[in-house]
Amino acid sequence: MATVLTIGTATAAEFATKEEAVTMVKRAIVFIKEQGEVKAYAEFSRKGGQFHDRDLYITVLGLDGKVLAHGQRADFVGKNLIDAKDPDGKLFIKERSDLALHNASFWQKYKFMNPATQKVEAKDMYCERLGDTNVCGGVYGS
């Protein structure tokens, strides 16, 4: 029985938790305010930087759908993804922008490629609105 509990704990530690996502988003907002957008967005988009933890990373999108920083897909930066769909056809970027218009912070569900497993998985994304942007970090497998 102890072996099962140890394995279960080790496996859970491989992936970020919702609490860790909220904490990282709050840290990211402080970093933007202290360092400015240019430096912060570059740091968020740098793999292996201080805003990467296992499968958790920061993304920043304008409310218009333009990607300003992406911790996993630097090729997305500068692109407008307002019409992007997840594998189920959900317009998840448009939905995120709509949620931000009515909520200062929120959770969003959709599907996306998990960088740790290289599989499309369910994702819970926590976002906080900062001006005309969404600062977000999410967890997989929820």
Side-chain angles (χ1 to χ4, degrees):
M1 186 68 141
T3 303
V4 172
L5 292 176
T6 302
I7 291 170
T9 303
T11 302
E14 291 177 29
F15 304 103
T17 66
K18 285 185 170 185
E19 293 79 15
E20 290 169 324
V22 171
T23 298
M24 186 178 283
V25 167
K26 291 185 179 304
R27 276 186 42 232
I29 288 172
V30 169
F31 194 77
I32 293 167
K33 290 177 178 178
E34 290 177 349
Q35 301 296 319
E37 293 174 354
V38 173
K39 185 172 182 179
Y41 295 172
E43 179 63 19
F44 300 157
S45 297
R46 187 173 67 86
K47 286 189 179 181
Q50 64 179 308
F51 290 94
H52 283 83
D53 181 11
R54 296 161 290 170
D55 57 342
L56 177 59
Y57 53 88
I58 293 294
T59 62
V60 182
L61 289 95
L63 296 182
D64 63 355
K66 183 178 179 181
V67 180
L68 304 172
H70 199 291
Q72 206 53 44
R73 297 285 308 267
D75 59 316
F76 284 173
V77 176
K79 295 183 179 177
N80 190 308
L81 300 181
I82 197 74
D83 294 323
K85 296 179 182 177
D86 79 354
D88 293 333
K90 182 180 207 173
L91 290 164
F92 67 100
I93 300 295
K94 181 174 182 342
E95 178 185 72
R96 189 175 307 164
S97 293
D98 291 344
L99 286 166
L101 291 173
H102 300 95
N103 303 281
S105 64
F106 57 90
W107 284 95
Q108 177 195 28
K109 289 185 174 289
Y110 64 102
K111 292 183 180 173
F112 201 74
M113 178 70 70
N114 183 333
T117 65
Q118 296 301 306
K119 294 180 182 174
V120 173
E121 298 179 19
K123 185 169 187 175
D124 280 324
M125 183 71 93
Y126 176 74
C127 299
E128 289 193 16
R129 189 179 64 234
L130 179 62
D132 60 352
T133 68
N134 279 320
V135 180
C136 306
V139 296
Y140 291 90
S142 51

